[in-house]
PDB file of all heavy atoms in Angstrom:
ATOM      1  N   MET A1290       0.829  -1.209   0.000  1.00  0.00           N
ATOM      2  CA  MET A1290       0.000   0.000   0.000  1.00  0.00           C
ATOM      3  C   MET A1290       0.863   1.259   0.000  1.00  0.00           C
ATOM      4  O   MET A1290       0.394   2.335  -0.287  1.00  0.00           O
ATOM      5  CB  MET A1290      -0.885   0.009   1.255  1.00  0.00           C
ATOM      6  CG  MET A1290      -2.006  -0.986   1.202  1.00  0.00           C
ATOM      7  SD  MET A1290      -3.420  -0.397   0.248  1.00  0.00           S
ATOM      8  CE  MET A1290      -4.152   0.771   1.384  1.00  0.00           C
ATOM      9  N   ASP A1294       2.234   5.833  -6.363  1.00  0.00           N
ATOM     10  CA  ASP A1294       1.653   5.761  -7.701  1.00  0.00           C
ATOM     11  C   ASP A1294       2.220   6.871  -8.572  1.00  0.00           C
ATOM     12  O   ASP A1294       2.535   7.945  -8.081  1.00  0.00           O
ATOM     13  CB  ASP A1294       0.132   5.930  -7.622  1.00  0.00           C
ATOM     14  CG  ASP A1294      -0.531   4.701  -7.029  1.00  0.00           C
ATOM     15  OD1 ASP A1294       0.040   3.604  -7.160  1.00  0.00           O
ATOM     16  OD2 ASP A1294      -1.610   4.853  -6.428  1.00  0.00           O
ATOM     17  N   ARG A1328      -3.313  15.767 -22.698  1.00  0.00           N
ATOM     18  CA  ARG A1328      -3.933  15.747 -21.381  1.00  0.00           C
ATOM     19  C   ARG A1328      -3.502  16.986 -20.592  1.00  0.00           C
ATOM     20  O   ARG A1328      -2.318  17.297 -20.505  1.00  0.00           O
ATOM     21  CB  ARG A1328      -3.500  14.486 -20.646  1.00  0.00           C
ATOM     22  CG  ARG A1328      -4.214  14.274 -19.340  1.00  0.00           C
ATOM     23  CD  ARG A1328      -3.835  12.920 -18.748  1.00  0.00           C
ATOM     24  NE  ARG A1328      -4.702  12.637 -17.611  1.00  0.00           N
ATOM     25  CZ  ARG A1328      -4.530  11.598 -16.803  1.00  0.00           C
ATOM     26  NH1 ARG A1328      -3.536  10.750 -17.022  1.00  0.00           N
ATOM     27  NH2 ARG A1328      -5.339  11.401 -15.790  1.00  0.00           N
ATOM     28  N   GLU A1421      -8.821  18.283 -16.822  1.00  0.00           N
ATOM     29  CA  GLU A1421      -9.081  17.518 -15.603  1.00  0.00           C
ATOM     30  C   GLU A1421      -8.691  18.373 -14.408  1.00  0.00           C
ATOM     31  O   GLU A1421      -7.540  18.763 -14.273  1.00  0.00           O
ATOM     32  CB  GLU A1421      -8.248  16.244 -15.580  1.00  0.00           C
ATOM     33  CG  GLU A1421      -8.624  15.247 -16.643  1.00  0.00           C
ATOM     34  CD  GLU A1421      -7.704  14.037 -16.618  1.00  0.00           C
ATOM     35  OE1 GLU A1421      -7.417  13.526 -15.522  1.00  0.00           O
ATOM     36  OE2 GLU A1421      -7.264  13.616 -17.695  1.00  0.00           O
ATOM     37  N   TYR A1423      -8.488  18.741 -10.295  1.00  0.00           N
ATOM     38  CA  TYR A1423      -8.505  18.004  -9.027  1.00  0.00           C
ATOM     39  C   TYR A1423      -8.234  18.953  -7.873  1.00  0.00           C
ATOM     40  O   TYR A1423      -7.083  19.239  -7.554  1.00  0.00           O
ATOM     41  CB  TYR A1423      -7.458  16.892  -9.054  1.00  0.00           C
ATOM     42  CG  TYR A1423      -7.704  15.875 -10.155  1.00  0.00           C
ATOM     43  CD1 TYR A1423      -6.987  15.916 -11.348  1.00  0.00           C
ATOM     44  CD2 TYR A1423      -8.683  14.894 -10.005  1.00  0.00           C
ATOM     45  CE1 TYR A1423      -7.229  15.008 -12.359  1.00  0.00           C
ATOM     46  CE2 TYR A1423      -8.930  13.984 -11.013  1.00  0.00           C
ATOM     47  CZ  TYR A1423      -8.200  14.047 -12.184  1.00  0.00           C
ATOM     48  OH  TYR A1423      -8.451  13.156 -13.185  1.00  0.00           O
ATOM     49  N   PHE A1426      -5.780  18.772  -3.412  1.00  0.00           N
ATOM     50  CA  PHE A1426      -4.484  18.095  -3.373  1.00  0.00           C
ATOM     51  C   PHE A1426      -3.346  19.108  -3.272  1.00  0.00           C
ATOM     52  O   PHE A1426      -3.281  20.068  -4.027  1.00  0.00           O
ATOM     53  CB  PHE A1426      -4.294  17.214  -4.611  1.00  0.00           C
ATOM     54  CG  PHE A1426      -5.227  16.043  -4.610  1.00  0.00           C
ATOM     55  CD1 PHE A1426      -6.391  16.065  -5.357  1.00  0.00           C
ATOM     56  CD2 PHE A1426      -4.976  14.949  -3.802  1.00  0.00           C
ATOM     57  CE1 PHE A1426      -7.286  15.005  -5.317  1.00  0.00           C
ATOM     58  CE2 PHE A1426      -5.860  13.882  -3.744  1.00  0.00           C
ATOM     59  CZ  PHE A1426      -7.020  13.914  -4.507  1.00  0.00           C
ATOM     60  N   GLU A1456      -1.598   4.592  10.733  1.00  0.00           N
ATOM     61  CA  GLU A1456      -2.210   3.433  10.058  1.00  0.00           C
ATOM     62  C   GLU A1456      -2.949   3.832   8.789  1.00  0.00           C
ATOM     63  O   GLU A1456      -3.125   3.024   7.885  1.00  0.00           O
ATOM     64  CB  GLU A1456      -3.154   2.731  11.027  1.00  0.00           C
ATOM     65  CG  GLU A1456      -2.394   1.891  12.029  1.00  0.00           C
ATOM     66  CD  GLU A1456      -3.304   1.286  13.068  1.00  0.00           C
ATOM     67  OE1 GLU A1456      -3.891   2.060  13.855  1.00  0.00           O
ATOM     68  OE2 GLU A1456      -3.427   0.061  13.082  1.00  0.00           O
ATOM     69  N   ASN A1457      -3.426   5.086   8.743  1.00  0.00           N
ATOM     70  CA  ASN A1457      -4.154   5.511   7.544  1.00  0.00           C
ATOM     71  C   ASN A1457      -3.257   6.296   6.576  1.00  0.00           C
ATOM     72  O   ASN A1457      -3.724   7.140   5.830  1.00  0.00           O
ATOM     73  CB  ASN A1457      -5.387   6.329   7.924  1.00  0.00           C
ATOM     74  CG  ASN A1457      -5.028   7.581   8.708  1.00  0.00           C
ATOM     75  OD1 ASN A1457      -3.845   7.896   8.863  1.00  0.00           O
ATOM     76  ND2 ASN A1457      -6.026   8.293   9.192  1.00  0.00           N
ATOM     77  N   GLN A1459      -1.360   7.497   3.512  1.00  0.00           N
ATOM     78  CA  GLN A1459      -1.652   7.426   2.077  1.00  0.00           C
ATOM     79  C   GLN A1459      -0.495   8.129   1.367  1.00  0.00           C
ATOM     80  O   GLN A1459      -0.279   9.329   1.570  1.00  0.00           O
ATOM     81  CB  GLN A1459      -2.976   8.132   1.792  1.00  0.00           C
ATOM     82  CG  GLN A1459      -3.436   8.133   0.359  1.00  0.00           C
ATOM     83  CD  GLN A1459      -4.328   6.949   0.007  1.00  0.00           C
ATOM     84  OE1 GLN A1459      -3.839   5.844  -0.178  1.00  0.00           O
ATOM     85  NE2 GLN A1459      -5.616   7.169  -0.071  1.00  0.00           N
ATOM     86  N   THR A1462       1.081  11.068  -4.775  1.00  0.00           N
ATOM     87  CA  THR A1462       1.147  10.573  -6.149  1.00  0.00           C
ATOM     88  C   THR A1462       2.173  11.383  -6.924  1.00  0.00           C
ATOM     89  O   THR A1462       2.177  12.609  -6.843  1.00  0.00           O
ATOM     90  CB  THR A1462      -0.238  10.713  -6.826  1.00  0.00           C
ATOM     91  OG1 THR A1462      -1.206  10.021  -6.047  1.00  0.00           O
ATOM     92  CG2 THR A1462      -0.227  10.157  -8.240  1.00  0.00           C
ATOM     93  N   ILE A1464       3.281  13.023 -10.166  1.00  0.00           N
ATOM     94  CA  ILE A1464       2.650  13.462 -11.414  1.00  0.00           C
ATOM     95  C   ILE A1464       3.785  13.825 -12.367  1.00  0.00           C
ATOM     96  O   ILE A1464       4.502  14.802 -12.136  1.00  0.00           O
ATOM     97  CB  ILE A1464       1.753  14.701 -11.221  1.00  0.00           C
ATOM     98  CG1 ILE A1464       0.900  14.554  -9.962  1.00  0.00           C
ATOM     99  CG2 ILE A1464       0.883  14.934 -12.445  1.00  0.00           C
ATOM    100  CD1 ILE A1464       0.369  15.875  -9.448  1.00  0.00           C
ATOM    101  N   LYS A1582     -23.861  43.327   9.033  1.00  0.00           N
ATOM    102  CA  LYS A1582     -23.177  42.271   9.759  1.00  0.00           C
ATOM    103  C   LYS A1582     -22.104  41.597   8.901  1.00  0.00           C
ATOM    104  O   LYS A1582     -22.205  41.549   7.676  1.00  0.00           O
ATOM    105  CB  LYS A1582     -24.169  41.262  10.329  1.00  0.00           C
ATOM    106  CG  LYS A1582     -24.864  40.368   9.328  1.00  0.00           C
ATOM    107  CD  LYS A1582     -25.617  39.293  10.114  1.00  0.00           C
ATOM    108  CE  LYS A1582     -25.856  38.054   9.278  1.00  0.00           C
ATOM    109  NZ  LYS A1582     -27.021  38.072   8.424  1.00  0.00           N
ATOM    110  N   LYS A1737     -17.137  43.509  18.599  1.00  0.00           N
ATOM    111  CA  LYS A1737     -17.809  42.378  17.953  1.00  0.00           C
ATOM    112  C   LYS A1737     -19.113  42.783  17.249  1.00  0.00           C
ATOM    113  O   LYS A1737     -19.991  41.961  16.995  1.00  0.00           O
ATOM    114  CB  LYS A1737     -18.081  41.239  18.937  1.00  0.00           C
ATOM    115  CG  LYS A1737     -16.795  40.633  19.469  1.00  0.00           C
ATOM    116  CD  LYS A1737     -17.017  39.237  19.980  1.00  0.00           C
ATOM    117  CE  LYS A1737     -15.713  38.684  20.506  1.00  0.00           C
ATOM    118  NZ  LYS A1737     -15.805  37.312  20.927  1.00  0.00           N
ATOM    119  N   ASP A1755      -6.497  19.528   9.040  1.00  0.00           N
ATOM    120  CA  ASP A1755      -6.465  18.199   9.661  1.00  0.00           C
ATOM    121  C   ASP A1755      -5.618  18.270  10.925  1.00  0.00           C
ATOM    122  O   ASP A1755      -4.528  18.847  10.927  1.00  0.00           O
ATOM    123  CB  ASP A1755      -5.837  17.174   8.712  1.00  0.00           C
ATOM    124  CG  ASP A1755      -6.710  16.919   7.507  1.00  0.00           C
ATOM    125  OD1 ASP A1755      -7.933  16.869   7.676  1.00  0.00           O
ATOM    126  OD2 ASP A1755      -6.150  16.766   6.401  1.00  0.00           O
ATOM    127  N   GLU A1789      -4.048  34.834  13.714  1.00  0.00           N
ATOM    128  CA  GLU A1789      -3.726  34.359  15.056  1.00  0.00           C
ATOM    129  C   GLU A1789      -3.173  32.931  15.081  1.00  0.00           C
ATOM    130  O   GLU A1789      -3.615  32.093  15.852  1.00  0.00           O
ATOM    131  CB  GLU A1789      -4.950  34.469  15.966  1.00  0.00           C
ATOM    132  CG  GLU A1789      -4.553  34.584  17.430  1.00  0.00           C
ATOM    133  CD  GLU A1789      -5.666  35.131  18.309  1.00  0.00           C
ATOM    134  OE1 GLU A1789      -5.859  36.360  18.264  1.00  0.00           O
ATOM    135  OE2 GLU A1789      -6.334  34.360  18.991  1.00  0.00           O
ATOM    136  N   GLU A1792       1.055  32.702  19.015  1.00  0.00           N
ATOM    137  CA  GLU A1792       0.699  33.270  20.308  1.00  0.00           C
ATOM    138  C   GLU A1792       1.948  33.289  21.173  1.00  0.00           C
ATOM    139  O   GLU A1792       2.631  32.277  21.307  1.00  0.00           O
ATOM    140  CB  GLU A1792      -0.381  32.408  20.960  1.00  0.00           C
ATOM    141  CG  GLU A1792      -0.806  32.913  22.319  1.00  0.00           C
ATOM    142  CD  GLU A1792      -1.635  31.884  23.093  1.00  0.00           C
ATOM    143  OE1 GLU A1792      -2.017  30.851  22.511  1.00  0.00           O
ATOM    144  OE2 GLU A1792      -1.851  32.119  24.281  1.00  0.00           O
ATOM    145  N   GLY A1832      -3.725  18.656   1.556  1.00  0.00           N
ATOM    146  CA  GLY A1832      -4.658  19.139   0.555  1.00  0.00           C
ATOM    147  C   GLY A1832      -6.067  19.260   1.133  1.00  0.00           C
ATOM    148  O   GLY A1832      -6.467  18.464   1.983  1.00  0.00           O
ATOM    149  N   ASP A1837     -12.091  28.394   3.676  1.00  0.00           N
ATOM    150  CA  ASP A1837     -13.110  27.955   2.726  1.00  0.00           C
ATOM    151  C   ASP A1837     -13.913  29.185   2.312  1.00  0.00           C
ATOM    152  O   ASP A1837     -15.061  29.356   2.700  1.00  0.00           O
ATOM    153  CB  ASP A1837     -14.002  26.885   3.376  1.00  0.00           C
ATOM    154  CG  ASP A1837     -14.934  26.238   2.375  1.00  0.00           C
ATOM    155  OD1 ASP A1837     -14.746  26.458   1.158  1.00  0.00           O
ATOM    156  OD2 ASP A1837     -15.865  25.528   2.791  1.00  0.00           O
TER     157      ASP A1837
ATOM    158  N   GLU B1330     -31.642  33.641   6.393  1.00  0.00           N
ATOM    159  CA  GLU B1330     -32.147  34.920   6.918  1.00  0.00           C
ATOM    160  C   GLU B1330     -33.564  34.747   7.479  1.00  0.00           C
ATOM    161  O   GLU B1330     -33.984  35.492   8.364  1.00  0.00           O
ATOM    162  CB  GLU B1330     -32.171  35.977   5.805  1.00  0.00           C
ATOM    163  CG  GLU B1330     -30.836  36.145   5.117  1.00  0.00           C
ATOM    164  CD  GLU B1330     -30.120  37.425   5.511  1.00  0.00           C
ATOM    165  OE1 GLU B1330     -30.775  38.462   5.502  1.00  0.00           O
ATOM    166  OE2 GLU B1330     -28.915  37.364   5.820  1.00  0.00           O
ATOM    167  N   LYS B1340     -22.865  21.556   2.129  1.00  0.00           N
ATOM    168  CA  LYS B1340     -22.097  20.615   1.336  1.00  0.00           C
ATOM    169  C   LYS B1340     -22.410  19.207   1.817  1.00  0.00           C
ATOM    170  O   LYS B1340     -22.791  19.005   2.965  1.00  0.00           O
ATOM    171  CB  LYS B1340     -20.612  20.873   1.541  1.00  0.00           C
ATOM    172  CG  LYS B1340     -20.103  22.033   0.733  1.00  0.00           C
ATOM    173  CD  LYS B1340     -18.620  22.194   0.974  1.00  0.00           C
ATOM    174  CE  LYS B1340     -18.168  23.539   0.456  1.00  0.00           C
ATOM    175  NZ  LYS B1340     -16.907  23.935   1.020  1.00  0.00           N
ATOM    176  N   GLN B1356      -8.046  -1.139   5.832  1.00  0.00           N
ATOM    177  CA  GLN B1356      -7.140  -1.804   6.766  1.00  0.00           C
ATOM    178  C   GLN B1356      -7.130  -3.314   6.533  1.00  0.00           C
ATOM    179  O   GLN B1356      -6.082  -3.945   6.590  1.00  0.00           O
ATOM    180  CB  GLN B1356      -7.549  -1.497   8.222  1.00  0.00           C
ATOM    181  CG  GLN B1356      -7.355  -0.046   8.643  1.00  0.00           C
ATOM    182  CD  GLN B1356      -5.896   0.400   8.621  1.00  0.00           C
ATOM    183  OE1 GLN B1356      -4.994  -0.396   8.839  1.00  0.00           O
ATOM    184  NE2 GLN B1356      -5.675   1.664   8.320  1.00  0.00           N
ATOM    185  N   LEU B1358      -7.531  -4.708   3.818  1.00  0.00           N
ATOM    186  CA  LEU B1358      -6.787  -4.934   2.571  1.00  0.00           C
ATOM    187  C   LEU B1358      -5.305  -5.224   2.860  1.00  0.00           C
ATOM    188  O   LEU B1358      -4.648  -5.940   2.106  1.00  0.00           O
ATOM    189  CB  LEU B1358      -6.927  -3.707   1.669  1.00  0.00           C
ATOM    190  CG  LEU B1358      -6.316  -3.786   0.266  1.00  0.00           C
ATOM    191  CD1 LEU B1358      -7.058  -4.815  -0.582  1.00  0.00           C
ATOM    192  CD2 LEU B1358      -6.338  -2.430  -0.412  1.00  0.00           C
ATOM    193  N   LYS B1359      -4.796  -4.656   3.982  1.00  0.00           N
ATOM    194  CA  LYS B1359      -3.399  -4.918   4.323  1.00  0.00           C
ATOM    195  C   LYS B1359      -3.185  -6.408   4.588  1.00  0.00           C
ATOM    196  O   LYS B1359      -2.126  -6.954   4.307  1.00  0.00           O
ATOM    197  CB  LYS B1359      -3.004  -4.122   5.569  1.00  0.00           C
ATOM    198  CG  LYS B1359      -2.885  -2.629   5.331  1.00  0.00           C
ATOM    199  CD  LYS B1359      -2.498  -1.910   6.626  1.00  0.00           C
ATOM    200  CE  LYS B1359      -2.424  -0.407   6.409  1.00  0.00           C
ATOM    201  NZ  LYS B1359      -2.254   0.321   7.679  1.00  0.00           N
ATOM    202  N   MET B1386     -10.317   7.108  -2.230  1.00  0.00           N
ATOM    203  CA  MET B1386      -9.601   6.641  -1.041  1.00  0.00           C
ATOM    204  C   MET B1386      -8.923   5.293  -1.287  1.00  0.00           C
ATOM    205  O   MET B1386      -8.009   4.921  -0.551  1.00  0.00           O
ATOM    206  CB  MET B1386     -10.570   6.491   0.138  1.00  0.00           C
ATOM    207  CG  MET B1386     -10.955   7.797   0.807  1.00  0.00           C
ATOM    208  SD  MET B1386     -12.324   7.564   1.979  1.00  0.00           S
ATOM    209  CE  MET B1386     -11.511   6.652   3.299  1.00  0.00           C
ATOM    210  N   ILE B1499      -9.713   3.688  13.507  1.00  0.00           N
ATOM    211  CA  ILE B1499      -8.695   4.375  12.712  1.00  0.00           C
ATOM    212  C   ILE B1499      -9.386   5.416  11.832  1.00  0.00           C
ATOM    213  O   ILE B1499     -10.295   5.084  11.085  1.00  0.00           O
ATOM    214  CB  ILE B1499      -7.919   3.354  11.856  1.00  0.00           C
ATOM    215  CG1 ILE B1499      -7.224   2.350  12.784  1.00  0.00           C
ATOM    216  CG2 ILE B1499      -6.920   4.055  10.949  1.00  0.00           C
ATOM    217  CD1 ILE B1499      -6.648   1.151  12.073  1.00  0.00           C
ATOM    218  N   PRO B1500      -8.984   6.684  11.925  1.00  0.00           N
ATOM    219  CA  PRO B1500      -9.663   7.717  11.139  1.00  0.00           C
ATOM    220  C   PRO B1500      -9.491   7.496   9.635  1.00  0.00           C
ATOM    221  O   PRO B1500      -8.480   6.942   9.203  1.00  0.00           O
ATOM    222  CB  PRO B1500      -8.958   9.014  11.564  1.00  0.00           C
ATOM    223  CG  PRO B1500      -8.161   8.675  12.757  1.00  0.00           C
ATOM    224  CD  PRO B1500      -7.884   7.223  12.720  1.00  0.00           C
ATOM    225  N   ARG B1502      -8.632   7.736   5.832  1.00  0.00           N
ATOM    226  CA  ARG B1502      -7.486   8.337   5.156  1.00  0.00           C
ATOM    227  C   ARG B1502      -7.943   9.402   4.175  1.00  0.00           C
ATOM    228  O   ARG B1502      -9.120   9.473   3.811  1.00  0.00           O
ATOM    229  CB  ARG B1502      -6.686   7.255   4.425  1.00  0.00           C
ATOM    230  CG  ARG B1502      -7.420   6.626   3.248  1.00  0.00           C
ATOM    231  CD  ARG B1502      -6.692   5.387   2.784  1.00  0.00           C
ATOM    232  NE  ARG B1502      -6.520   4.442   3.892  1.00  0.00           N
ATOM    233  CZ  ARG B1502      -5.634   3.446   3.865  1.00  0.00           C
ATOM    234  NH1 ARG B1502      -4.871   3.252   2.811  1.00  0.00           N
ATOM    235  NH2 ARG B1502      -5.534   2.626   4.893  1.00  0.00           N
ATOM    236  N   LYS B1503      -6.999  10.225   3.744  1.00  0.00           N
ATOM    237  CA  LYS B1503      -7.282  11.221   2.718  1.00  0.00           C
ATOM    238  C   LYS B1503      -7.297  10.528   1.353  1.00  0.00           C
ATOM    239  O   LYS B1503      -6.725   9.453   1.182  1.00  0.00           O
ATOM    240  CB  LYS B1503      -6.192  12.294   2.709  1.00  0.00           C
ATOM    241  CG  LYS B1503      -5.894  12.933   4.053  1.00  0.00           C
ATOM    242  CD  LYS B1503      -6.834  14.036   4.389  1.00  0.00           C
ATOM    243  CE  LYS B1503      -6.520  15.309   3.632  1.00  0.00           C
ATOM    244  NZ  LYS B1503      -7.432  16.396   4.061  1.00  0.00           N
ATOM    245  N   GLN B1504      -7.911  11.177   0.426  1.00  0.00           N
ATOM    246  CA  GLN B1504      -7.899  10.650  -0.942  1.00  0.00           C
ATOM    247  C   GLN B1504      -6.490  10.768  -1.512  1.00  0.00           C
ATOM    248  O   GLN B1504      -5.731  11.637  -1.125  1.00  0.00           O
ATOM    249  CB  GLN B1504      -8.853  11.458  -1.815  1.00  0.00           C
ATOM    250  CG  GLN B1504     -10.272  11.461  -1.303  1.00  0.00           C
ATOM    251  CD  GLN B1504     -11.211  12.242  -2.198  1.00  0.00           C
ATOM    252  OE1 GLN B1504     -10.806  12.789  -3.214  1.00  0.00           O
ATOM    253  NE2 GLN B1504     -12.462  12.272  -1.826  1.00  0.00           N
ATOM    254  N   SER B1505      -6.169   9.880  -2.434  1.00  0.00           N
ATOM    255  CA  SER B1505      -4.909  10.044  -3.165  1.00  0.00           C
ATOM    256  C   SER B1505      -5.240  10.597  -4.546  1.00  0.00           C
ATOM    257  O   SER B1505      -6.346  10.394  -5.054  1.00  0.00           O
ATOM    258  CB  SER B1505      -4.169   8.716  -3.288  1.00  0.00           C
ATOM    259  OG  SER B1505      -4.806   7.891  -4.244  1.00  0.00           O
ATOM    260  N   LEU B1506      -4.282  11.303  -5.128  1.00  0.00           N
ATOM    261  CA  LEU B1506      -4.544  11.873  -6.454  1.00  0.00           C
ATOM    262  C   LEU B1506      -4.775  10.758  -7.477  1.00  0.00           C
ATOM    263  O   LEU B1506      -5.683  10.843  -8.303  1.00  0.00           O
ATOM    264  CB  LEU B1506      -3.392  12.774  -6.896  1.00  0.00           C
ATOM    265  CG  LEU B1506      -3.583  13.406  -8.269  1.00  0.00           C
ATOM    266  CD1 LEU B1506      -4.738  14.398  -8.272  1.00  0.00           C
ATOM    267  CD2 LEU B1506      -2.310  14.089  -8.749  1.00  0.00           C
ATOM    268  N   SER B1507      -3.966   9.683  -7.379  1.00  0.00           N
ATOM    269  CA  SER B1507      -4.166   8.590  -8.327  1.00  0.00           C
ATOM    270  C   SER B1507      -5.564   7.998  -8.153  1.00  0.00           C
ATOM    271  O   SER B1507      -6.224   7.633  -9.132  1.00  0.00           O
ATOM    272  CB  SER B1507      -3.078   7.523  -8.161  1.00  0.00           C
ATOM    273  OG  SER B1507      -2.990   7.108  -6.822  1.00  0.00           O
ATOM    274  N   ILE B1510      -8.123  10.323  -9.749  1.00  0.00           N
ATOM    275  CA  ILE B1510      -8.136  10.193 -11.213  1.00  0.00           C
ATOM    276  C   ILE B1510      -8.942   8.954 -11.606  1.00  0.00           C
ATOM    277  O   ILE B1510      -9.760   8.988 -12.521  1.00  0.00           O
ATOM    278  CB  ILE B1510      -6.690  10.131 -11.748  1.00  0.00           C
ATOM    279  CG1 ILE B1510      -5.992  11.474 -11.521  1.00  0.00           C
ATOM    280  CG2 ILE B1510      -6.674   9.758 -13.229  1.00  0.00           C
ATOM    281  CD1 ILE B1510      -4.499  11.461 -11.769  1.00  0.00           C
ATOM    282  N   ARG B1513     -12.586   9.682 -11.124  1.00  0.00           N
ATOM    283  CA  ARG B1513     -13.133  10.570 -12.147  1.00  0.00           C
ATOM    284  C   ARG B1513     -13.575   9.783 -13.377  1.00  0.00           C
ATOM    285  O   ARG B1513     -14.588  10.078 -13.996  1.00  0.00           O
ATOM    286  CB  ARG B1513     -12.065  11.590 -12.540  1.00  0.00           C
ATOM    287  CG  ARG B1513     -12.529  12.646 -13.504  1.00  0.00           C
ATOM    288  CD  ARG B1513     -11.375  13.571 -13.835  1.00  0.00           C
ATOM    289  NE  ARG B1513     -11.828  14.756 -14.549  1.00  0.00           N
ATOM    290  CZ  ARG B1513     -11.878  14.842 -15.870  1.00  0.00           C
ATOM    291  NH1 ARG B1513     -11.518  13.813 -16.617  1.00  0.00           N
ATOM    292  NH2 ARG B1513     -12.296  15.945 -16.452  1.00  0.00           N
ATOM    293  N   GLU B1558     -14.475  34.158  28.100  1.00  0.00           N
ATOM    294  CA  GLU B1558     -13.632  34.410  26.936  1.00  0.00           C
ATOM    295  C   GLU B1558     -12.291  34.981  27.348  1.00  0.00           C
ATOM    296  O   GLU B1558     -12.202  35.702  28.348  1.00  0.00           O
ATOM    297  CB  GLU B1558     -14.310  35.424  26.001  1.00  0.00           C
ATOM    298  CG  GLU B1558     -15.509  34.861  25.285  1.00  0.00           C
ATOM    299  CD  GLU B1558     -16.085  35.847  24.293  1.00  0.00           C
ATOM    300  OE1 GLU B1558     -15.595  36.990  24.221  1.00  0.00           O
ATOM    301  OE2 GLU B1558     -17.023  35.475  23.579  1.00  0.00           O
ATOM    302  N   HIS B1560      -7.877  35.381  25.696  1.00  0.00           N
ATOM    303  CA  HIS B1560      -6.847  34.866  24.813  1.00  0.00           C
ATOM    304  C   HIS B1560      -5.762  34.117  25.548  1.00  0.00           C
ATOM    305  O   HIS B1560      -4.888  33.540  24.951  1.00  0.00           O
ATOM    306  CB  HIS B1560      -6.243  36.011  23.996  1.00  0.00           C
ATOM    307  CG  HIS B1560      -7.083  36.321  22.802  1.00  0.00           C
ATOM    308  ND1 HIS B1560      -8.310  36.919  22.926  1.00  0.00           N
ATOM    309  CD2 HIS B1560      -6.904  36.066  21.493  1.00  0.00           C
ATOM    310  CE1 HIS B1560      -8.844  37.048  21.729  1.00  0.00           C
ATOM    311  NE2 HIS B1560      -8.022  36.538  20.837  1.00  0.00           N
ATOM    312  N   GLU B1562      -4.764  32.201  29.735  1.00  0.00           N
ATOM    313  CA  GLU B1562      -5.361  31.650  30.959  1.00  0.00           C
ATOM    314  C   GLU B1562      -5.839  32.770  31.878  1.00  0.00           C
ATOM    315  O   GLU B1562      -6.919  32.704  32.461  1.00  0.00           O
ATOM    316  CB  GLU B1562      -4.337  30.783  31.713  1.00  0.00           C
ATOM    317  CG  GLU B1562      -3.932  29.525  30.976  1.00  0.00           C
ATOM    318  CD  GLU B1562      -2.706  29.738  30.096  1.00  0.00           C
ATOM    319  OE1 GLU B1562      -2.474  30.896  29.667  1.00  0.00           O
ATOM    320  OE2 GLU B1562      -1.991  28.760  29.827  1.00  0.00           O
TER     321      GLU B1562
END
Side-chain angles (χ1 to χ4, degrees):
Chain A
M1290 287 279 285
D1294 288 333
R1328 187 174 190 187
E1421 294 177 44
Y1423 299 101
F1426 292 100
E1456 283 175 294
N1457 60 6
Q1459 181 91 283
T1462 304
I1464 316 160
K1582 71 171 204 275
K1737 296 202 180 184
D1755 292 321
E1789 205 162 282
E1792 179 193 351
D1837 189 11
Chain B
E1330 306 254 313
K1340 280 181 194 161
Q1356 292 297 330
L1358 185 67
K1359 289 180 182 171
M1386 282 170 71
I1499 299 169
R1502 67 192 56 198
K1503 308 277 283 183
Q1504 302 181 0
S1505 74
L1506 180 66
S1507 53
I1510 293 169
R1513 185 181 191 268
E1558 289 185 356
H1560 277 71
E1562 294 91 334

